[in-house]
Amino acid sequence: MRGTVPDLRVDANRDGVVDLSGSSDERLEDSREALFLANLDDDTRRCLLPENLVSLDDPAYDQKRAACNDAADNIVNGLFDERDLASIHALPMRDAPEGARIAISGAPDGSVRLFMRDSGQLRTFDPSTEPVPAQALRDGLELRLEGRDIIRDTRWNGTVRVTLSLPDGKSDTVALRQAPLLLQHTLQTSSQVILAARPKLLSKDEFEKDPILGFTYEDYLEFQKPLIPAHKSFRDTLDAARQSAEVDKPLRQLPIDKADMWMQDMFEPAYMSVPGQDGNPHIIRVLLRSPDLARPGSRVVFELRRRDVAVVQQAQDPFEYPPLWTATSIGWAISMPCHPTRPTANTIRMAAS
């Protein structure tokens, strides 16, 4: 029957390749869903281009910076961006008719986007308004699926069903599931160690132009002065530990905002992973910014966004808690390592008043 009925294929066996010549990825009732990523990295670093930067005076600064990522536009930003999209193929149908349709079900509106290979290039494809070109079916339809955000609540479990239907009623459906967002736990291999740069001591004029809430200048000096000489000792000790752990990348120091040097409270590392074509996992690291937007120091996380590194912001109501409320300092979130009884890491969250 091959070539006369729709036959959609995805990476159902999760080996990183869509099998178009064998049967390893044929749809079975008990087959697992293929995985796809939320495409939130910045493969070409376009979010740092002048036209995409936002003035600090803009009241929506944080929301606009967080919203810039590869899923925010409707183009594929190069070959590395293409790697972040899940492949969906239909085997060639020699006598494919006009009028075939693609339908997406199971996903909330706006949560995923489809691209179609057309004349060798990927372009956006809106199945609600566009039929599938008959020639594309005859040549072997190629689609790519893009997740546009992480799963932020329980209304959606990440499952998407894609159906190809012919005018005569014949159809085929494949299922995909968005890769879960997992926190990095303490036994995973480190790829880079990050700390706050040595704090700069502000003059009284500099302090009074932009004061720290709850601090007088004398309070600030009492708090800050001992940290400057202590920083070198801490940095050197941390770097020695990095070398002992055989972390190849050098220690990275990030600029801080005035007195806020608590780097572990700025963001929490996480990741999403799908099988890669080379047999290794294809990973997008995700930096979860502190939800306290009254803490401007955590904006440094936007400078870390790049290829295969995303930033996610789940902001609280800025008036819900006082600024720097300890519960929003996500250094308090700790992930327990995996265990046979816990296939994914458990998270312990602590807070102090």
Side-chain angles (χ1 to χ4, degrees):
M1 298 294 288
R2 182 174 293 183
T4 62
V5 296
D7 188 347
L8 284 178
R9 301 286 180 93
V10 291
D11 183 21
N13 67 352
R14 299 184 182 177
D15 65 354
V17 179
V18 179
D19 184 358
L20 300 179
S21 58
S23 59
S24 65
D25 284 329
E26 282 187 350
R27 183 177 62 86
L28 302 172
E29 293 303 323
D30 60 349
S31 64
R32 293 184 298 177
E33 304 101 335
L35 294 174
F36 67 97
L37 292 165
N39 188 19
L40 302 182
D41 63 347
D42 182 14
D43 286 306
T44 60
R45 304 214 77 180
R46 65 183 182 84
C47 295
L48 294 180
L49 295 175
E51 60 267 29
N52 292 320
L53 292 180
V54 185
S55 168
L56 285 171
D57 297 328
D58 189 330
Y61 175 93
D62 297 286
Q63 290 76 15
K64 290 180 179 179
R65 289 297 304 271
C68 186
N69 54 61
D70 282 346
D73 61 20
N74 59 3
I75 63 174
V76 177
N77 299 286
L79 292 177
F80 288 104
D81 196 24
E82 186 175 326
R83 291 176 59 225
D84 297 335
L85 311 178
S87 295
I88 305 172
H89 291 265
L91 295 188
M93 299 180 62
R94 185 177 57 254
D95 301 318
E98 300 286 350
R101 309 290 305 202
I102 289 286
I104 296 177
S105 58
D109 290 345
S111 57
V112 296
R113 178 187 283 121
L114 275 179
F115 295 89
M116 175 189 289
R117 184 80 66 184
D118 187 355
S119 301
Q121 302 297 315
L122 287 170
R123 65 166 178 86
T124 52
F125 174 68
D126 184 354
S128 66
T129 60
E130 257 188 280
V132 180
Q135 192 59 50
L137 289 175
R138 293 164 191 159
D139 294 339
L141 177 67
E142 180 185 351
L143 302 173
R144 296 295 180 102
L145 183 74
E146 173 182 63
R148 301 184 63 190
D149 197 4
I150 62 167
I151 300 171
R152 295 181 183 259
D153 55 44
T154 58
R155 289 177 293 177
W156 179 43
N157 67 0
T159 299
V160 179
R161 298 176 71 83
V162 178
T163 300
L164 170 61
S165 301
L166 301 184
D168 64 6
K170 296 174 183 175
S171 66
D172 193 22
T173 299
V174 289
L176 303 95
R177 181 183 291 268
Q178 184 162 303
L181 180 67
L182 301 174
L183 293 180
Q184 180 177 298
H185 64 73
T186 52
L187 292 185
Q188 287 177 294
T189 302
S190 298
S191 61
Q192 187 166 38
V193 181
I194 297 174
L195 81 158
R198 184 172 69 88
K200 173 195 172 186
L201 198 62
L202 301 177
S203 69
K204 188 169 185 179
D205 287 344
E206 289 174 320
F207 180 88
E208 289 178 348
K209 286 179 182 177
D210 188 15
I212 301 171
L213 188 65
F215 280 72
T216 65
Y217 184 62
E218 289 69 27
D219 293 336
Y220 163 75
L221 288 179
E222 182 181 357
F223 175 75
Q224 194 79 343
K225 272 187 174 179
L227 297 177
I228 294 177
H231 182 273
K232 182 179 185 303
S233 175
F234 174 72
R235 182 197 64 205
D236 292 347
T237 302
L238 185 62
D239 198 36
R242 174 195 66 81
Q243 295 177 57
S244 176
E246 299 181 346
V247 178
D248 293 332
K249 290 183 179 179
L251 199 64
R252 180 164 185 177
Q253 299 184 73
L254 298 181
I256 64 168
D257 178 75
K258 293 178 287 193
D260 193 1
M261 79 297 291
W262 312 110
M263 187 56 61
Q264 192 171 352
D265 291 339
M266 302 296 183
F267 62 91
E268 185 71 18
Y271 63 97
M272 304 174 288
S273 174
V274 298
Q277 294 183 6
D278 59 0
N280 297 310
H282 176 45
I283 298 169
I284 291 183
R285 300 186 184 277
V286 181
L287 308 179
L288 303 175
R289 185 188 175 191
S290 165
D292 186 357
L293 300 192
R295 188 174 202 158
S298 62
R299 287 171 173 167
V300 71
V301 75
F302 295 127
E303 311 307 317
L304 299 175
R305 180 170 42 200
R306 61 184 186 275
R307 181 190 306 162
D308 295 339
V309 178
V311 173
V312 165
Q313 177 175 285
Q314 180 72 32
Q316 67 176 34
D317 183 335
F319 302 105
E320 184 178 351
Y321 299 117
L324 300 182
W325 183 261
T326 310
T328 64
S329 299
I330 54 179
W332 291 106
I334 300 172
S335 292
M336 300 287 287
C338 303
H339 184 272
T341 61
R342 298 187 305 270
T344 57
N346 283 3
T347 300
I348 296 177
R349 183 168 174 79
M350 300 173 287
S353 59

